[in-house]
Amino acid sequence: MSDQDVLNLVQPEIGGGRIPKEKIDEIASSSLRRLKVSGLRQDTFDYLVDTYGDRFKEIDFLKCPHVEDLSSLSQLESIESITFYWNQSASTLWDMSANRRLKKLSFLDFEKLRKIDDLATASAVEDIHFGTAVWPKMVVESLRPLSAVSTLKKYISTLRKSPIVVLNH
């Protein structure tokens, strides 16, 4: 997809800014299927996902460091790709069993995420990218949950210290 095919709600502030619900409501007048957004807090993250999430095949969450609970993503049945860049608050992912079309998942610079056990609930994910892009604070205790993702074709880990995993596919 080109940048013309993307609804861009990325805030201009270097830290991601803070996006108001009124700005999120611009989605209502768009027919685009890919979204880039930054500056979400927990309330605006849940509002966006609950109100507009099913409109998109791809969502890029950029610089949303204050979103702690990602569980509302479990309701997105038509999502195909989710990308996260920089989160300081979430310590878990979410139950992905209902995300039956989710093929690509990327989560970078998640400072509090230590366990990736929720990946075992992914029923369609083929491509996973996780680790550090800028901040070297992300540490994952075990990569074993990757072995439970039977559809996995490719994973990239850019962790500074990666545990070893054996995939039996």
Side-chain angles (χ1 to χ4, degrees):
M1 279 188 188
S2 73
D3 283 345
Q4 293 175 321
D5 299 326
V6 178
L7 177 58
N8 190 339
L9 297 181
V10 175
Q11 303 305 290
E13 295 85 1
I14 196 161
R18 185 174 193 147
I19 190 167
K21 285 184 180 178
E22 296 77 27
K23 183 77 173 167
I24 294 169
D25 285 333
E26 289 179 14
I27 293 170
S29 62
S30 174
S31 62
L32 296 174
R33 304 287 288 158
R34 182 172 180 203
L35 171 68
K36 284 186 178 183
V37 62
S38 73
L40 295 168
R41 302 300 197 266
Q42 190 66 55
D43 63 333
T44 50
F45 174 81
D46 290 333
Y47 176 73
L48 183 148
V49 173
D50 293 345
T51 309
Y52 301 108
D54 268 331
R55 288 179 176 231
F56 299 100
K57 290 185 178 198
E58 299 179 40
I59 302 177
D60 297 334
F61 296 101
L62 309 172
K63 298 180 183 179
C64 299
H66 304 292
V67 176
E68 183 176 335
D69 180 5
L70 306 176
S71 64
S72 61
L73 293 171
S74 65
Q75 67 186 317
L76 301 182
E77 295 179 6
S78 60
I79 195 77
E80 295 176 7
S81 174
I82 295 177
T83 300
F84 283 98
Y85 167 70
W86 191 42
N87 181 291
Q88 296 176 314
S89 303
S91 60
T92 61
L93 295 173
W94 69 96
D95 179 351
M96 298 175 208
S97 56
N99 304 131
R100 292 184 186 93
R101 293 186 178 155
L102 181 63
K103 302 281 187 210
K104 183 178 178 186
L105 176 62
S106 176
F107 50 100
L108 300 170
D109 292 333
F110 269 53
E111 294 181 18
K112 290 188 177 180
L113 184 67
R114 300 290 177 260
K115 295 182 182 212
I116 57 173
D117 297 350
D118 290 321
L119 289 177
T121 65
S123 61
V125 173
E126 297 176 357
D127 184 353
I128 297 175
H129 181 194
F130 63 95
T132 57
V134 176
W135 311 108
K137 294 182 180 182
M138 187 173 171
V139 176
V140 172
E141 292 175 5
S142 172
L143 297 180
R144 185 161 305 283
L146 288 172
S147 65
V149 185
S150 63
T151 54
L152 187 62
K153 294 180 180 176
K154 175 176 107 176
Y155 88 93
I156 298 171
S157 170
T158 55
L159 294 171
R160 301 283 192 256
K161 296 180 181 180
S162 277
I164 297 172
V165 67
V166 176
L167 296 175
N168 297 319
H169 296 278

